[in-house]
């Protein structure tokens, strides 16, 4: 049957309402395509912040406190669900409006859609768990929606923007078909993306729920109480919170292995291969250890370092279960995403706290830090030891194998170089004469015995030290500026330099060396002014 010739349409619908209704539908489909492309990508790239929930976070912040209280009081634990529905309805209404407006005047609807994309990007970027990926996804969503909207509305105009005397029905059949095919294509696109997003989010949400529901067992061997932070504003807390812990890896997409199907295999030069499930690992006698992780790429004074309380099971115990064959001198650990690190076997067997970590600061490992299991080996840079999303330990030799970064020019052995850092003042900061200087120092495996600071070319003066949290953790230091300067410092420009000495009596190296190939060294100096 030919639709144009049909006479069954309701009379009032066609001229007055058909245009705006179709424009609204265009808006819905365009925004649907945009948002769903963002959601689908974010299921892999940044599950915690999708374009839609970034917009949602802005809306929650925008709601006045009493409205939020009212919602929580009336919907209880359903408030998230109610909010999710409300947010989608609002977005859908905005999408319809964008379609209708775009049909009235070119650029208005497209502008509205882009504005929502930018809002989502800004919201995603400003979230503590956000950053560039959610920002990019917000922009992408807005751009896709804008382009689709512009195309759909152009085709709708071509069909419907006939002289006023003509009705929709008398318009050109070709224009109508062109519009309807674009509309149909968009609808199919929305359907495919919706199914894909549901599948992807379902899988990731399942693992996230498993992670959230996970109750870590109490350690068999607990770490002592952490030292309390000295009352010096601006120096890092002794325990680095997981969400501000530096993150370094080659993963474009944060791997999220299913903890139920995750396996750790021990292979290579062993008497028998061993395979372990996550549940089996959790059932082992776990130990808690405070360890300061450091990246080999950390520049002098850099921030690729953090201290956390790790919960895990010693690697040496697992190696003992497998039985290491004579001749092996390295364990090549592999991540689910293919990253590898070659760790000296000795470092895993000499009694240091080299563990298969499942917990970080009392919580299951965050996805970005290796959930469900990573390695932590005190005294070695991360690239040769700290494999996240761990899945295999191959007992082997340095002659036969090498980790990811070794063919790329980094040293096969990566012992951490002892060092120290000034956190207060920041470079170029202006201080009052009564300011307190401070920072951190580390010598994993040895411990920090003393820290000294020097103002300009003055004498080295002993800094005060924070509590001793063990040889594998950094130590905080601080000293009032006036004490460091040996008197009230003069107004104007100064520098402060820091150095540390380990419990073995060895001071940090003063050689200025860049990170490649085996870690930076040299003293950290910071310029500041006294006002
Ligand atoms: N799977 C995987 N694990 C990895 C890496 C990586 O790229 N992929 N990088 C390593 C490096 S170089 C460092 S410094 C530490 C950083 O750990 P963090 O991101 O938890 O701070 O992880 C190590 N483990
Ligand atoms: Mo690193």
């Amino acid at each position: 049957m030919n639709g144009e010739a049909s006479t069954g349409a309701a009379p009032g619908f066609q001229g007055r309402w058909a245009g705006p209704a179709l424009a609204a539908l265009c808006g819905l489909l365009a925004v649907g395509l945009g948002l769903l492309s963002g959601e689908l990508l974010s299921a892999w790239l940044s599950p915690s912040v999708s374009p839609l929930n970034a917009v949602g976070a802005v809306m929650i912040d925008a709601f006045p406190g009493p409205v939020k209280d009212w919602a929580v009081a009336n919907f209880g634990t359903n408030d998230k669900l109610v909010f999710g529905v409300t947010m989608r309805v609002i977005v859908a209404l905005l999408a319809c409006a964008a379609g209708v407006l775009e049909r009235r005047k070119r650029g208005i609807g497209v502008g509205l859609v882009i504005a929502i994309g930018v809002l989502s990007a800004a919201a995603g970027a400003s979230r503590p768990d956000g950053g560039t990926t959610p920002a990019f996804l917000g922009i992408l969503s807005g751009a896709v929606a804008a382009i689709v909207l512009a195309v759909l509305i152009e085709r709708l105009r071509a069909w419907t923007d006939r002289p006023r005397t003509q009705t929709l029905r008398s318009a050109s059949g070709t224009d109508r078909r062109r519009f309807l095919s674009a509309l149909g294509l968009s609808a199919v696109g929305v359907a495919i993306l919706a199914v894909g997003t549901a599948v992807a989010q379902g899988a990731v949400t399942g693992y996230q729920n498993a992670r959230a529901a996970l109750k870590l067992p109490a350690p068999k061997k607990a770490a002592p109480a952490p030292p309390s932070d000295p009352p010096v504003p601006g120096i890092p807390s002794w325990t680095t919170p997981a969400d501000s812990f530096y993150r370094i890896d080659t993963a474009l997409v944060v791997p999220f292995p299913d903890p139920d199907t995750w396996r750790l295999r021990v292979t290579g030069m062993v008497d028998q291969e061993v395979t372990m499930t996550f549940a089996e690992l959790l059932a082992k006698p776990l130990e808690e250890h405070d360890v300061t992780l450091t990246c080999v790429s950390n520049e002098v004074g850099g921030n690729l370092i953090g201290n956390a309380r790790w919960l895990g099971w010693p690697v040496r115990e697992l190696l003992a279960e497998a039985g290491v064959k004579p001749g092996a001198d390295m364990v090549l650990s592999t991540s689910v995403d293919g990253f590898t690190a070659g760790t000296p076997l000795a470092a895993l067997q000499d009694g240091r706290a080299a563990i298969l970590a499942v917990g970080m600061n009392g919580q299951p490992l965050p996805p970005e830090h290796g959930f469900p299991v990573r390695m932590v080996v005190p005294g070695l840079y991360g690239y040769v030891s700290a494999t996240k999303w761990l899945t295999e330990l191959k007992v082997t030799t340095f002659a036969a194998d090498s980790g990811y970064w070794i063919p790329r020019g980094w040293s096969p052995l990566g012992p951490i170089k002892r060092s120290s850092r000034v956190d207060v003042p920041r470079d170029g900061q202006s201080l009052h004469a009564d300011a307190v200087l401070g920072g951190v120092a580390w010598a994993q495996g040895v411990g920090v015995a003393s820290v000294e600071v020097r103002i300009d070319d003055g004498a080295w003066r002993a800094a005060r030290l924070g509590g001793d949290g063990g040889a594998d953790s950094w130590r905080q230091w601080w000293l009032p500026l006036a004490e460091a300067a040996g008197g009230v410092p003069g107004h104007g420009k100064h520098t402060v330099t820091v150095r540390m000495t380990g419990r073995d009596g060895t001071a940090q190296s003063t050689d200025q060396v860049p990170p490649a190939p085996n870690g930076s060294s040299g003293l950290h100096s910071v310029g500041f002014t006294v006002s």
Side-chain angles (χ1 to χ4, degrees):
M1 190 178 75
N2 184 338
E4 273 169 79
S6 146
T7 51
F13 179 74
Q14 57 176 28
R16 220 149 111 233
W17 295 109
L22 286 173
L25 183 58
C26 293
L28 274 180
L29 289 176
V31 168
L33 273 175
L35 269 182
L36 285 170
S37 354
E39 295 292 302
L40 182 58
L41 278 176
S42 98
W44 283 292
L45 296 178
S46 75
S48 59
V49 192
S50 77
L52 194 61
N53 65 33
V55 172
V58 175
M59 287 186 183
I60 291 185
D61 289 345
F63 282 140
V67 175
K68 280 184 254 194
D69 297 344
W70 176 84
V72 173
N74 285 277
F75 303 121
T77 50
N78 283 330
D79 61 344
K80 286 231 167 47
L81 180 70
V82 172
F83 175 74
V85 172
T86 312
M87 177 177 80
R88 282 166 175 80
V89 169
I90 294 177
V91 169
L93 289 175
L94 284 171
C96 292
V100 172
L101 291 171
E102 182 66 21
R103 179 165 172 268
R104 286 227 191 124
K105 191 162 174 9
R106 273 190 194 88
I108 305 270
V110 165
L112 177 63
V113 159
I114 289 176
I116 297 174
V118 169
L119 183 77
S120 159
S126 66
R127 285 268 300 266
D129 48 354
T132 49
T133 309
F136 161 74
L137 293 177
I139 300 286
L140 176 90
S141 293
V144 169
I147 292 167
V148 174
L149 183 65
V151 169
L152 285 179
I153 296 292
E154 268 327 300
R155 294 204 172 176
L156 179 62
R157 282 164 182 280
W159 173 31
T160 61
D161 285 12
R162 300 277 144 194
R164 281 174 199 273
T165 48
Q166 293 187 333
T167 63
L168 281 186
R169 222 190 290 177
S170 61
S172 144
T174 324
D175 287 342
R176 192 194 62 152
R177 267 192 301 279
R178 273 169 55 82
F179 168 71
L180 287 182
S181 65
L183 198 70
L185 208 62
S186 306
V188 170
V190 165
I192 291 174
L193 285 179
V195 171
T197 305
V199 170
Q201 285 183 344
V204 172
T205 310
Y207 308 157
Q208 280 173 334
N209 289 344
R211 182 184 168 276
L214 184 66
K215 290 267 177 296
L216 290 177
K220 275 273 142 41
K221 194 174 141 193
S228 48
D229 290 323
V232 182
I235 68 169
S237 54
W238 188 78
T239 302
T240 312
D243 58 10
S244 50
F245 206 96
Y246 82 96
R247 176 188 162 199
I248 293 287
D249 52 60
T250 57
L252 275 181
V253 173
V254 175
F256 212 128
D258 176 355
D260 287 337
T261 58
W262 175 90
R263 296 286 183 277
L264 176 59
R265 300 190 313 129
V266 186
T267 62
M269 300 168 68
V270 289
D271 298 331
Q272 73 250 354
E273 295 200 350
V274 176
T275 300
M276 191 176 219
T277 67
F278 190 47
E280 284 166 346
L281 177 54
L282 291 178
K284 297 291 183 186
L286 303 183
E287 303 179 357
E288 228 173 30
H289 294 283
D290 297 319
V291 177
T292 296
L293 229 59
T294 316
C295 183
V296 68
S297 299
N298 198 34
E299 304 272 356
V300 171
N303 56 11
L304 301 181
I305 180 168
N307 185 58
R309 174 156 290 190
W310 307 96
L311 176 72
W313 189 51
V315 182
R316 64 172 177 277
E317 304 283 351
L318 181 57
L319 292 177
E321 283 190 5
V324 172
K325 290 210 163 116
D329 63 6
M330 183 237 256
V331 171
L332 189 76
S333 51
T334 305
S335 153
V336 298
D337 70 349
F339 170 88
T340 54
T343 310
L345 180 62
L348 303 175
Q349 293 186 316
D350 64 8
R352 75 179 81 182
I355 56 173
L356 304 164
V358 296
M360 180 181 192
N361 296 340
Q363 298 295 323
L365 293 178
E368 295 76 12
H369 296 290
F371 180 82
V373 181
R374 76 175 304 168
M375 291 229 298
V376 170
V377 183
L380 299 181
Y381 287 122
Y383 79 108
V384 292
S385 68
T387 302
K388 306 190 270 192
W389 316 292
L390 182 67
T391 188
E392 186 185 342
L393 296 177
K394 179 187 179 193
V395 180
T396 178
T397 63
F398 278 98
D401 281 295
S402 54
Y404 180 87
W405 286 109
I406 312 311
R408 292 164 174 84
W410 295 83
S411 168
L413 300 178
I416 298 175
K417 295 179 182 174
R418 61 189 66 190
S419 192
S420 54
R421 183 177 81 189
V422 178
D423 287 273
V424 186
R426 300 264 162 221
D427 220 345
Q429 196 179 336
S430 154
L431 296 181
H432 290 293
D434 62 355
V436 179
L437 314 178
V440 284
W442 57 94
Q444 288 93 328
V446 175
V448 175
S450 65
V451 171
E452 294 157 290
V453 292
R454 176 169 80 170
I455 304 297
D456 304 324
D457 294 326
W460 287 101
R461 292 198 167 81
R464 264 161 249 162
L465 295 182
D468 183 357
D472 295 330
S473 286
W474 63 12
R475 207 151 171 193
Q476 298 151 305
W477 66 265
W478 84 101
L479 194 64
L481 172 58
E483 279 183 50
V488 178
H491 286 251
K493 285 189 191 296
H494 297 280
T495 61
V496 52
T497 307
V498 63
R499 72 178 183 194
M500 59 76 62
T501 302
R503 287 202 183 282
D504 57 1
T506 305
Q508 74 177 88
S509 165
T510 56
D511 292 347
Q512 295 286 339
V513 165
N518 63 358
S520 65
S521 69
L523 301 186
H524 188 211
S525 277
V526 167
F528 64 101
T529 54
V530 173
S531 57

